[in-house]
């Protein structure tokens, strides 16, 4: 069984910063990609940022230059440093990981429970 546990959400004023963490645990053979998603109008969830095991990153346009995603492969943990936060960044942020478990020959998607980020004065 694989589990993703997020932390680091909270209330912050516009222009402030938060750092989200997501740790994967359980029967993990390999992680291909980890990332962060949030709900968006007309979509179930939109990609915020992703990072591969090798460190290649991808960001949605609205967070480029403000958010930085990083990964600690030894700890199976992904981080999202969010700077210059705006009210429109307010959302529940969900961690996602593409994981191959021991005893399996394929990767599958796993999701965390979500962590609330509120940007308000």
């Amino acid at each position: 069984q694989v589990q993703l546990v997020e932390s680091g959400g909270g209330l912050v004023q516009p222009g402030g910063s938060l750092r989200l963490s997501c740790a994967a645990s359980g029967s993990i053979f390999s992680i291909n990609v980890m990332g962060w998603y949030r709900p968006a109008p007309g979509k179930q969830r939109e990609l915020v940022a992703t990072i591969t095991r090798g460190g290649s990153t991808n960001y949605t346009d609205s967070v480029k230059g403000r958010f930085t995603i990083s990964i600690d492969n030894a700890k199976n943990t992904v981080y999202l440093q969010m700077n210059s936060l705006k009210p429109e960044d307010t959302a529940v942020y969900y961690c996602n990981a593409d994981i191959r478990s021991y005893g399996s020959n394929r990767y599958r998607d796993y999701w965390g429970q979500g962590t609330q980020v509120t940007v308000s004065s």
Side-chain angles (χ1 to χ4, degrees):
Q1 189 72 4
V2 172
Q3 188 177 18
L4 301 183
V5 178
E6 299 126 329
S7 61
L11 172 64
V12 65
Q13 292 187 342
S17 298
L18 282 174
R19 189 191 193 210
L20 306 183
S21 300
C22 171
S25 63
S27 180
I28 298 171
F29 177 77
S30 178
I31 298 178
N32 187 29
V33 181
M34 298 188 80
W36 294 92
Y37 291 74
R38 64 188 180 190
K43 304 177 184 179
Q44 184 174 10
R45 291 173 186 170
E46 69 167 356
L47 178 152
V48 177
T50 60
I51 186 167
T52 68
R53 180 179 183 83
S56 295
T57 59
N58 184 37
Y59 298 91
T60 191
D61 286 345
S62 63
V63 308
K64 286 179 180 177
R66 301 188 298 122
F67 292 10
T68 302
I69 190 169
S70 59
I71 192 168
D72 186 331
N73 290 316
K75 296 181 178 180
N76 291 332
T77 299
V78 64
Y79 305 95
L80 186 67
Q81 178 66 44
M82 303 186 294
N83 298 328
S84 302
L85 281 161
K86 305 175 180 180
E88 52 263 41
D89 294 317
T90 296
V92 177
Y93 285 71
Y94 295 91
C95 178
N96 172 267
D98 193 32
I99 295 174
R100 178 181 169 186
S101 299
Y102 282 103
S104 175
N105 61 358
R106 64 182 182 89
Y107 288 85
R108 57 159 287 191
D109 258 359
Y110 291 88
W111 291 92
Q113 79 285 356
T115 184
Q116 177 69 47
V117 171
T118 302
V119 185
S120 175
S121 55

